[in-house]
């Protein structure tokens, strides 16, 4: 796959410093995780295949391997940005596939010249996909809910695996508003149920998942969080 030529007219200019010899990893039958991207601080992007309306969650590394993979699977209709650190090569991706960029309205200013579609609280992409505002990590942090396989939540950096592979909000020096982030977690717990939220696909720290790119039994694990104790967490480095 890495040696396959891209179609005529496809924008060149891959960042060779961001090349990876690893192909995207299958997470579910129609969902793939890309290798961590240095342009997004080691973030993990996902490609959801959906009836010629593919959804790209955050930006994978801009290299020929990832470009060819996306092209082979039908390109991209929606590029969803889950937080301000997930931007990467947005302009190049939009140019390559003429896709619509979705980002929470408070962070749309970070994409001058792109003309993204902003949203306030939530926006529906399809009968299966909905983007939900979950502020805290950043002002415009959002999660993409995908209603297949018992419900999948793509959490960006809102919820990440800890060293035990369990999902939790993690306070860092870059956290915008920690109490609001915890409120966003509580809102997700209230919104979903064991029947509607089976998995979490986090946008970073996936090395703690030991080769996997998903967290199982997601709703139960969220309910185990002690949000009152987490509120006392000091800022990280």
């Amino acid at each position: 796959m890495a040696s396959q030529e891209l179609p005529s007219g496809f924008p060149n200019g891959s960042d060779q410093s961001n090349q990876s010899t690893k192909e995207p990893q299958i997470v579910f039958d129609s969902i793939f995780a890309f290798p961590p991207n240095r342009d997004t601080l080691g973030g993990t992007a996902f490609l959801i295949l959906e009836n010629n309306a593919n959804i790209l969650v955050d930006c994978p590394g801009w290299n020929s391997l990832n470009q060819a993979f996306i092209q082979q699977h039908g390109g991209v209709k929606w590029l969803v940005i889950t937080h301000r650190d997930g931007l990467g090569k947005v302009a190049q991706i939009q140019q390559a596939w003429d896709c619509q960029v979705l980002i929470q309205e408070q962070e749309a200013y970070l994409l001058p010249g792109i003309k993204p579609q902003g949203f306030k609280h939530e926006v529906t992409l399809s009968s299966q996909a909905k983007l939900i505002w979950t502020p805290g990590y950043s002002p415009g942090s959002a999660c993409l809910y995908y209603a297949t396989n018992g419900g999948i939540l793509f959490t960006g950096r809102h919820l990440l695996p800890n060293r035990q592979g369990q999902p939790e909000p993690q306070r860092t020096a870059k956290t915008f508003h920690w109490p609001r982030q915890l409120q966003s977690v509580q809102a997700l717990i209230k919104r979903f149920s064991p029947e509607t939220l089976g998995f979490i696909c986090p946008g970073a720290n996936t090395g703690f998942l030991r080769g996997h790119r998903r967290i199982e039994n997601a709703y139960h694990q969220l309910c185990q969080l002690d949000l009152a104790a987490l509120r006392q967490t000091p800022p990280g480095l």
Side-chain angles (χ1 to χ4, degrees):
M1 183 183 303
S3 61
Q4 177 176 343
E5 291 186 3
L6 293 169
S8 176
F10 195 96
N12 203 343
S14 299
D15 180 0
Q16 298 302 319
S17 67
N18 208 3
Q19 288 283 2
S20 171
T21 58
K22 295 182 179 179
E23 295 186 356
Q25 176 182 347
I26 188 167
V27 184
F28 295 95
D29 287 343
S30 61
I31 299 174
F32 298 86
F34 291 89
N37 178 10
R38 69 184 65 182
D39 286 341
T40 59
L41 306 180
T44 296
F46 295 87
L47 179 65
I48 303 170
L49 307 183
E50 188 181 76
N51 298 325
N52 298 318
N54 294 346
I55 302 168
L56 187 59
V57 184
D58 293 323
C59 295
W62 187 245
N63 58 58
S64 59
L65 181 63
N66 290 343
Q67 291 167 13
F69 183 86
I70 293 172
Q71 185 66 26
Q72 284 183 344
H73 287 83
V76 177
K77 179 178 181 180
W78 301 101
L79 170 56
V80 170
I81 303 299
T82 63
H83 56 88
R84 62 191 174 195
D85 295 328
L87 298 177
K89 299 294 191 294
V90 174
Q92 289 90 331
I93 292 171
Q94 186 182 57
Q95 180 185 3
W97 291 289
D98 192 26
C99 58
Q100 178 64 59
V101 179
L102 277 173
I103 189 170
Q104 207 278 333
E105 61 183 15
Q106 294 183 78
E107 295 182 356
Y109 76 95
L110 296 170
L111 295 171
I114 299 295
K115 295 183 179 179
Q117 177 181 332
F119 73 98
K120 189 170 185 179
H121 293 295
E122 59 183 59
V123 61
T124 298
L125 284 69
S126 70
S127 61
Q128 303 288 348
K130 181 172 291 189
L131 191 56
I132 305 165
W133 182 40
T134 52
Y137 171 77
S138 71
S141 177
C143 295
L144 179 72
Y145 178 69
Y146 198 61
T148 64
N149 297 280
I152 308 165
L153 195 65
F154 296 85
T155 58
R157 292 182 186 265
H158 174 55
L159 291 164
L160 296 175
N162 59 21
R163 292 184 179 277
Q164 290 72 46
Q166 302 162 333
E168 65 178 22
Q170 297 181 14
R171 190 176 189 183
T172 72
K174 297 183 66 174
T175 298
F176 163 67
H177 197 291
W178 182 236
R180 186 171 294 180
Q181 186 169 352
L182 297 181
Q183 291 171 11
S184 294
V185 175
Q186 184 62 60
L188 291 175
I189 294 172
K190 184 177 181 180
R191 180 176 188 136
F192 295 112
S193 69
E195 292 72 35
T196 58
L197 182 56
F199 300 92
I200 284 173
C201 288
N205 289 14
T206 53
F208 292 143
L209 299 180
R210 297 170 178 82
H212 301 285
R213 292 295 183 268
R214 69 190 196 190
I215 299 172
E216 301 184 3
N217 201 17
Y219 185 79
H220 174 74
Q221 294 202 56
L222 289 186
C223 289
Q224 300 304 306
L225 292 171
D226 188 340
L227 297 179
L230 284 171
R231 183 176 287 270
Q232 307 305 316
T233 303
L237 300 177

